[in-house]
Amino acid sequence: EFEEMVDAYRQLSLVAIPSIWPETGPLVLLESLALNIPVWGSSRLGQQSLLQDYGRVIEPNTIDAWKQALEKAFQSHADGHVLRPPGNALDDGRMKRMADVGRDMVDIYARAVQDPAS
């Protein structure tokens, strides 16, 4: 259920995405940023500009690099530091349902069709 998924995300301190091949639809990145949860990922993750602006790129994408990065994150969290993206990365902390996205897209297309300048 949607609410359970959002609740599960909100219990996270950090989302790690160590992708090993290019991803074209990084839904976990987008969902995490929409809920203002820090995201660390490899340079193989799709939407690199979002990851660079609001998260952290872990390079090289090796076990050792990830181990070091996550140990530092764990220690920082244990020391009471909150690992949050700068500002609200994508939204105001609310995740949209697919019905919301669909409604928004219908509105965008309806305005485009009505606009005589298009």
Side-chain angles (χ1 to χ4, degrees):
E1 181 172 312
F2 180 79
E3 286 78 17
E4 291 172 353
M5 181 191 68
V6 171
D7 186 52
Y9 267 108
R10 292 199 187 280
Q11 294 177 44
L12 301 174
S13 300
L14 173 76
V15 171
I17 310 172
S19 300
I20 57 173
W21 56 79
E23 294 185 32
T24 58
L27 187 56
V28 173
L29 169 70
L30 298 171
E31 289 171 345
S32 299
L33 292 178
L35 291 168
N36 209 29
I37 298 167
V39 180
W40 293 4
S42 75
S43 63
R44 307 295 275 167
L45 182 69
Q47 298 293 328
Q48 268 302 294
S49 62
L50 284 176
L51 182 61
Q52 291 167 353
D53 289 348
Y54 299 109
R56 180 174 170 198
V57 179
I58 306 299
E59 282 298 321
N61 191 28
T62 63
I63 292 171
D64 287 338
W66 275 98
K67 181 178 184 264
Q68 289 176 6
L70 293 173
E71 284 174 347
K72 286 180 184 177
F74 178 80
Q75 188 58 54
S76 182
H77 183 75
D79 291 341
H81 301 288
V82 178
L83 304 170
R84 291 286 178 233
N88 287 330
L90 296 182
D91 208 304
D92 59 2
R94 291 179 296 125
M95 185 181 293
K96 292 183 178 184
R97 297 173 186 258
M98 288 309 297
D100 299 329
V101 173
R103 189 173 35 256
D104 291 349
M105 293 308 298
V106 167
D107 290 344
I108 288 168
Y109 286 120
R111 284 193 305 271
V113 170
Q114 293 173 357
D115 185 0
S118 359

